[in-house]
Amino acid sequence: MDIDVGPVDPSILYEQDLHVSSAVWEGQERGLLRCQEHTSLLHQWKLTDEQIKLVDKAGFGFFRKIGPMSLNNSLISALVERWRRETNTFHLPLGEMTITLDEVALVLGLDIDGDPIVGSKVGDEVAMDMCGRLLGKLPSAANKEVNCSRVKLNWLKRTFSECPEDASFDDVKRHTRAYLLYLIGSTIFATTDGDKVSVKYLPLFEDFEQAGRYAWGAAALACLYRALGNASLKSQSNICGCLTLLQCWSYFHLDIGRPEKSEECFPLALLWKGKGSRSKTDLSEYRRELDDLDPSKITWCPYESFENMIPPQIKAKLILGRSKTTLVCFEKIELHFPDRCLRQFGKRQPIPQRVKRRDRKNRRLDDLDTSMSLACEEWAERGDHIVDSPGGGNVVDDGAYMEWYARISITKLYREAFLESQVMNMIACMREYEEAASGISLERLSPVEREVMESVKDTFANSLTFGGWQEVAVNSGYGKRRRRNELTPTTTNNGGVGNDLSSLLLQKET
């Protein structure tokens, strides 16, 4: 049974053939993604008071409090199946949603305003020089502590996790730089390499005051967008980036796999820290729950009740959540589209502007086909591009938007449930044809025509009772059916009970 699952209009989701959802619909399950975030050993770092002051100065005072977070791989894998890198949004049954800049500030406590994080890759020789100058110690290539300008997280922890009490201030700074490199390498800049972090980030912490001027939150979101986009491809089996942010975002917005909240504190990721984060629910069940998502399961604006907890310096920058801008982190350039998710700000959602198609085959430039300098210029103008609903206000009228969205998106991924619903619709149509045929008078028909019409009636009747399905009319409707095994089983020619029609068709499809 060949079923076209969409989108009807492929102008927005033009990479459908590459997306994991196309594999799901072909019955090719890739299983759970391997989540590459390494927070489990963060608590083993023992920071002195001097180090904590330097960490605060560098912009990670709130973020360091989050520490280890238990990840729900099944939920994360299900969310990734809804992510579309063409729009940098989740495509859910009720419309698009995304992780916005203000949510990075609220959930992680990172600054979303400031200088973009830019730089270039470094070679092994330069990387070793950086380690010697900024850390005071060198990783051993012979012991595989460094490779391709990336150092092992375990080496950083083993060498720098405890600063001596009598350390000089220069040594305190070196140990703190090692901690910050470990922190970002295991969280916001985690990669699919697993237990390594690039030394290219180390110069960002040479001057702690300057480090505090960077937009770490924007860089973290750029990396997560990129990681989600890569993981949404059917050829991928890993996901990296700040998965704590992804999981907490889901808990705030979607009542799916959500644990009980902990005591309220800032940053808001701490609300979901502790027992109950892991779930025994499997991927297919989360997929079904996302398919069946209704308004009662979505909280569009979940942060309003926490307003009194938000530090003033964080609150002052939240307007950037509605900035249609460009996010930068070294070679990564990603677009931030709050105009596609205005209901997350209590606004009416109009049909958004079409997104420029990305040239991912052009390797000479970034895969957004734009230069880094242009991306930084757009980021510099972030405050000038705050989006709003036409006419402002917070009235939500989804009619035209949802009609458009149904044409450009794919909202159902639970294949078996969708196929069975298609079968039931087919049965309903067959019942209507049968009743129409039954209403035709045979009196004026010739013997041949009468024989043909009776054959048609018999065909419909036999098809509708084939394999044990029986119509149960409710208020003269055709939509409600009951399996034969709830009544009297239909016996086949060989004496057994026949398979139901939908199951046979599903088996044939798979």
Side-chain angles (χ1 to χ4, degrees), residues 290-305:
L290 287 170
D291 269 7
D292 296 337
L293 204 61
D294 62 50
S296 68
K297 296 286 187 178
I298 297 180
T299 305
W300 293 102
C301 304
Y303 308 106
E304 295 173 342
S305 61

Side-chain angles (χ1 to χ4, degrees), residues 72-340:
N72 183 340
N73 288 32
S74 297
L75 177 61
I76 288 172
S77 299
L79 289 169
V80 170
E81 292 179 347
R82 310 291 168 150
W83 183 263
R84 303 303 302 227
R85 66 178 187 173
E86 300 97 325
T87 58
N88 277 346
T89 58
F90 297 103
H91 281 238
L92 299 169
L94 296 178
E96 292 177 66
M97 300 182 75
T98 197
I99 306 167
T100 52
L101 277 171
D102 58 317
E103 296 185 289
V104 181
L106 292 169
V107 174
L108 300 183
L110 292 173
D111 200 344
I112 56 172
D113 196 21
D115 298 335
I117 294 180
V118 296
S120 57
K121 295 180 179 180
V122 297
D124 288 348
E125 186 175 339
V126 175
M128 293 296 280
D129 178 68
M130 287 179 178
C131 288
R133 183 168 57 88
L134 298 175
L135 298 180
K137 295 183 180 179
L138 297 177
S140 169
N143 295 333
K144 299 182 179 180
E145 294 168 345
V146 60
N147 182 41
C148 298
S149 74
R150 291 168 295 185
V151 296
K152 280 200 169 185
L153 294 173
N154 185 53
W155 175 77
L156 290 170
K157 183 177 69 67
R158 189 175 65 252
T159 310
F160 299 99
S161 62
E162 207 165 333
C163 187
E165 293 182 5
D166 58 349
S168 67
F169 189 53
D170 283 342
D171 272 344
V172 171
K173 290 192 288 186
R174 293 185 186 107
H175 279 74
T176 306
R177 292 188 191 109
Y179 167 73
L180 289 168
L181 186 61
Y182 183 98
L183 180 65
I184 63 174
S186 59
T187 56
I188 59 175
F189 297 158
T191 68
T192 53
D193 284 340
D195 61 345
K196 300 183 184 71
V197 59
S198 176
V199 179
K200 69 183 180 183
Y201 300 117
L202 190 53
L204 298 171
F205 301 116
E206 182 169 7
D207 183 328
F208 292 96
E209 294 242 2
Q210 176 58 40
R213 299 188 187 104
Y214 290 123
W216 292 105
L221 191 56
C223 290
L224 182 57
Y225 277 2
R226 180 62 59 90
L228 283 165
N230 289 340
S232 70
L233 302 179
K234 60 185 177 183
S235 60
Q236 301 300 305
S237 59
N238 297 332
I239 183 171
C240 55
C242 192
L243 303 181
T244 290
L245 173 59
L246 171 61
Q247 182 167 286
C248 289
W249 178 90
S250 177
Y251 289 160
F252 276 112
H253 284 284
L254 309 176
D255 188 10
I256 293 177
R258 178 190 290 169
E260 294 295 324
K261 290 193 187 81
S262 301
E263 185 176 345
E264 294 185 1
C265 49
F266 192 86
L268 298 183
L270 293 172
L271 291 171
W272 309 109
K273 187 177 175 67
K275 296 180 179 179
S277 294
R278 289 195 180 274
S279 171
K280 295 182 180 179
T281 306
D282 62 19
L283 171 59
S284 62
E285 184 57 34
Y286 280 129
R287 188 182 292 157
R288 183 197 288 268
E289 288 189 58
L290 287 170
D291 269 7
D292 296 337
L293 204 61
D294 62 50
S296 68
K297 296 286 187 178
I298 297 180
T299 305
W300 293 102
C301 304
Y303 308 106
E304 295 173 342
S305 61
F306 306 113
E307 187 172 352
N308 294 333
M309 297 170 47
I310 304 170
Q313 68 271 29
I314 297 289
K315 189 180 296 186
K317 307 294 179 62
L318 295 182
I319 187 66
L320 291 178
R322 288 196 281 125
S323 175
K324 188 175 180 180
T325 187
T326 302
L327 308 174
V328 177
C329 182
F330 277 76
E331 74 283 357
K332 297 179 179 66
I333 299 176
E334 292 290 339
L335 298 180
H336 185 244
F337 292 120
D339 59 312
R340 306 187 73 87

Side-chain angles (χ1 to χ4, degrees), residues 430-446:
M430 291 173 66
R431 173 60 71 188
E432 291 177 8
Y433 285 130
E434 181 201 28
E435 296 202 356
S438 298
I440 297 176
S441 174
L442 304 181
E443 294 180 0
R444 298 183 179 181
L445 299 181
S446 66

